[in-house]
Amino acid sequence: MKSLFKTVVLITIFSFLTRLLGFVFRIILSRTIGAEGIGLYQVASSLFMVLLTIIASGLPLIISRMSAVNYAQKEEKKQASLITVAMIYALILSILLCVIVLAFKNVFAKFLTDEGCILILIVMLPSLIFSAVYSVFRGSLWGKGNYFALCVTEFYEQVVRIVVGILVISSSYSAMKNAINIGWSMTIACFLSMIYVVLLFFYYGGKMGKAKKEQLKPLIKQSTPITLMRVVGSMVQPLIAFIIPARLTSIGYTSSQALSLYGVAVGMTMPLLFIPSTIIGSLSTALVPDISAAVAQKNDKHIEERVSSSIFFALFISAMFVPVFIGMGEQIGLFLYDNIMSGTLLQSAAWVLIPLGFCNITSALLNSLGLEGRSFVNFIIGGIVMFISLWILPSLIGINALVWGMGLNYLVVSLLNFLLLKKHIHTDLKLFKKILKILLILLPSSALTAFVVSLAEYVMPLFFTLMIGGITGVTSFVLLAYAINLIDIKTFIVIAKNKINFPKVKINKKLKKNV
């Protein structure tokens, strides 16, 4: 098995490139079809994404986990049967969703701000079926540990969508026509991606076998909590979009001011907070088959090491961005958006990075260990805390209520996830001292960054000031961490170069089927 370090780097690079292409595509769209066309597409897309979440969230993750167990046990027939069963289930589910939308299209149309948006949604419906097939084969490649194929498929889909999108849109078309064409670009890209991933599956030795009913129950049982969590999560944003402006207007802001503040917070500040999640998400992707195989092999030591090191890695990466955001938040807001408020809000929200990173990695670990049901319960509890905060805090701290609501949500979920992990793996993860050390070095590192930036901006252009500030923040944080023995750079380099292999152990054939 490839080094986990190399795997994370590979996934991170492809994830960055894929997101960069998506960002470029949004720029092209905004300049070609204008705000109205994008707005129409986004309205239809918001509902479509909820439907897509039902198909492509929990299913591929659980297929990857079950596949990793099958590959570890060398159960080729069982794996082939799993793919067939998953394919049948995914197709039935996706077709059912399409039928529901078509049968009740008048009802769905009432939820959309423009009647024409239902046409865009209908154009994208075949994507659900294509994505269902895509998710099954992608999950198998994921479980097999074929991360290169996994990354290439996502990158390929983004490239295809951009190429098709550029070909079918035109500034001479109406906003609705362009919005419908963007929907077609999504459908065509999903179809071509489905074909591509199917070819990769068989190219790398994948097989389909006779469907067995006993494979269906664990597949549905384990994927449902994750799917519910993702679906509920996709509905959280619209609720926040209603609550925050409403609460701000109730304390004296005009509707325009409230929407403006919300737009700055969600559209400008919050996306920056999720930058570390790209790296942590790469680690989460690599951990699912890694830990699932270790569970199948009853390699408790490996599991304990992975859980402890992964949590520390996620915390360290998240915390590394905190000095940068605190030390030069205003400058970042000015450079990116020409908006000081977005930068000021970024400074006050920087602390959220730590519980956010903790929450992301512990949720991924629980899913890898088959504890997705308990993870969903923790998610609901955190959500309740967040909405209570969003309702109460605006009268006290204004738009910062959004920051604190999200932060408290991640903090509660992180704590509950951590306690569940400790209970499940029966070991002391020994993270308290490390977390304390991370918090201690944030203050001097942030202060140094702010000082260097305040000097640099008097003699340098903003771009170079940001470069120097970013280097100062990250470097000072890493050096301080090394100085207090929080990290060992030499050991890290050695680990990064070595390959990590599971020790050869005998597989107990009486292992639980639902691992």
Side-chain angles (χ1 to χ4, degrees):
M1 180 176 290
K2 290 183 178 180
S3 164
L4 189 65
F5 173 80
K6 293 180 180 179
T7 299
V8 172
V9 171
L10 174 69
I11 297 173
T12 300
I13 291 173
F14 271 95
S15 178
F16 172 77
L17 292 175
T18 301
R19 293 189 182 193
L20 179 62
L21 286 177
F23 179 72
V24 172
F25 187 45
R26 283 194 293 272
I27 294 175
I28 295 173
L29 288 179
S30 63
R31 293 186 177 184
T32 305
I33 69 175
E36 184 182 357
I38 293 177
L40 290 168
Y41 173 74
Q42 288 295 337
V43 170
S45 179
S46 62
L47 181 54
F48 172 78
M49 293 308 296
V50 174
L51 300 174
L52 184 62
T53 300
I54 298 173
I55 300 296
S57 55
L59 192 61
L61 192 150
I62 297 304
I63 292 173
S64 71
R65 199 174 73 196
M66 296 175 71
S67 296
V69 173
N70 290 335
Y71 287 125
Q73 298 177 353
K74 297 182 179 179
E75 294 277 3
E76 294 183 5
K77 291 184 178 180
K78 188 175 180 180
Q79 173 62 19
S81 175
L82 170 66
I83 298 303
T84 304
V85 170
M87 182 64 64
I88 295 172
Y89 170 67
L91 285 173
I92 292 175
L93 183 59
S94 60
I95 293 171
L96 180 61
L97 289 175
C98 291
V99 170
I100 291 174
V101 172
L102 292 174
F104 299 96
K105 63 180 181 181
N106 292 332
V107 177
F108 282 99
K110 292 180 180 179
F111 290 98
L112 304 175
T113 56
D114 191 289
E115 293 183 0
C117 290
I118 192 66
L119 297 176
I120 305 171
L121 179 62
I122 292 173
V123 163
M124 292 192 290
L125 283 182
S127 300
L128 293 177
I129 300 173
F130 304 146
S131 296
V133 177
Y134 173 89
S135 297
V136 173
F137 289 110
R138 179 180 180 273
S140 179
L141 291 170
W142 184 2
K144 197 173 184 178
N146 196 330
Y147 298 106
F148 180 76
L150 192 70
C151 295
V152 168
T153 54
E154 294 181 346
F155 184 73
Y156 170 82
E157 180 179 2
Q158 190 69 275
V159 171
V160 170
R161 190 179 175 202
I162 292 174
V163 172
V164 175
I166 292 175
L167 291 176
V168 299
I169 62 176
S170 172
S171 57
S172 63
Y173 295 155
S174 66
M176 177 57 68
K177 175 66 174 178
N178 272 320
I180 292 174
N181 285 343
I182 298 173
W184 277 116
S185 73
M186 164 71 83
T187 298
I188 295 171
C190 287
F191 173 74
L192 294 177
S193 297
M194 177 194 71
I195 298 298
Y196 186 65
V197 78
V198 169
L199 293 175
L200 283 177
F201 172 80
F202 289 108
Y203 175 79
Y204 286 109
K207 297 179 181 178
M208 298 182 68
K210 183 179 180 181
K212 296 182 179 180
K213 293 182 179 179
E214 59 267 23
Q215 296 264 29
L216 182 60
K217 185 177 179 180
L219 183 67
I220 297 176
K221 182 180 179 181
Q222 295 176 50
S223 64
T224 299
I226 298 173
T227 300
L228 286 174
M229 185 165 61
R230 303 280 173 83
V231 171
V232 172
S234 67
M235 296 178 177
V236 165
Q237 196 60 49
L239 289 174
I240 295 176
F242 170 76
I243 292 174
I244 290 296
R247 295 300 294 155
L248 289 176
T249 54
S250 71
I251 60 174
Y253 288 94
T254 65
S255 177
S256 177
Q257 290 173 331
L259 288 173
S260 178
L261 286 171
Y262 178 77
V264 169
V266 175
M268 299 180 185
T269 302
M270 294 306 166
L272 296 174
L273 293 178
F274 288 90
I275 291 176
S277 298
T278 301
I279 302 173
I280 297 171
S282 301
L283 175 61
S284 301
T285 300
L287 283 174
V288 172
D290 180 88
I291 292 181
S292 298
V295 170
Q297 294 176 324
K298 292 187 174 180
N299 193 339
D300 294 335
K301 183 179 179 181
H302 180 88
I303 295 172
E304 292 170 10
E305 290 176 351
R306 277 287 187 264
V307 170
S308 181
S309 61
S310 298
I311 292 177
F312 174 71
F313 176 81
L315 285 172
F316 189 84
I317 293 296
S318 299
M320 191 166 61
F321 284 82
V322 173
V324 177
F325 289 167
I326 291 179
M328 57 181 198
E330 290 187 4
Q331 289 79 7
I332 293 174
L334 280 172
F335 180 76
L336 292 178
Y337 310 113
D338 194 24
N339 188 298
I340 293 180
M341 176 179 281
S342 66
T344 303
L345 196 59
L346 180 63
Q347 288 177 318
S348 63
W351 68 272
V352 176
L353 289 172
I354 297 176
L356 172 59
F358 204 127
C359 178
N360 286 341
I361 195 64
T362 51
S363 296
L365 289 168
L366 290 175
N367 291 338
S368 301
L369 292 168
L371 298 171
E372 58 279 337
R374 295 292 299 276
S375 178
F376 177 64
V377 173
N378 295 345
F379 171 80
I380 294 297
I381 294 173
I384 293 173
V385 171
M386 179 180 68
F387 281 114
I388 292 174
S389 302
L390 294 181
W391 189 261
I392 296 174
L393 293 179
S395 60
L396 302 174
I397 55 177
I399 191 61
N400 280 292
L402 180 59
V403 172
W404 280 92
M406 292 178 62
L408 291 174
N409 169 34
Y410 296 132
L411 197 60
V412 169
V413 176
S414 297
L415 179 61
L416 294 175
N417 286 352
F418 182 70
L419 293 176
L420 183 57
L421 280 171
K422 284 191 65 176
K423 180 180 178 181
H424 186 75
I425 64 177
H426 307 293
T427 186
D428 184 5
L429 296 175
K430 299 179 181 179
L431 288 170
F432 179 76
K433 290 183 178 180
K434 292 181 179 179
I435 295 174
L436 184 59
K437 287 182 177 181
I438 288 176
L439 296 177
L440 287 175
I441 64 177
L442 286 178
L443 182 60
S445 183
S446 301
L448 178 62
T449 303
F451 176 72
V452 170
V453 169
S454 65
L455 293 179
E457 65 182 350
Y458 281 108
V459 295
M460 294 183 179
L462 185 55
F463 175 76
F464 292 105
T465 298
L466 291 176
M467 286 187 63
I468 292 174
I471 293 172
T472 301
V474 172
T475 303
S476 61
F477 180 82
V478 172
L479 290 178
L480 285 172
Y482 177 72
I484 62 174
N485 297 319
L486 184 61
I487 58 172
D488 187 339
I489 297 176
K490 293 181 180 179
T491 302
F492 177 77
I493 293 174
V494 172
I495 293 174
K497 290 181 178 180
N498 291 335
K499 290 186 177 182
I500 302 171
N501 295 291
F502 288 122
K504 294 181 179 180
V505 295
K506 293 182 179 180
I507 302 298
N508 184 354
K509 294 183 178 180
K510 295 183 179 180
L511 285 171
K512 292 182 180 180
K513 296 180 180 179
N514 296 345
V515 174

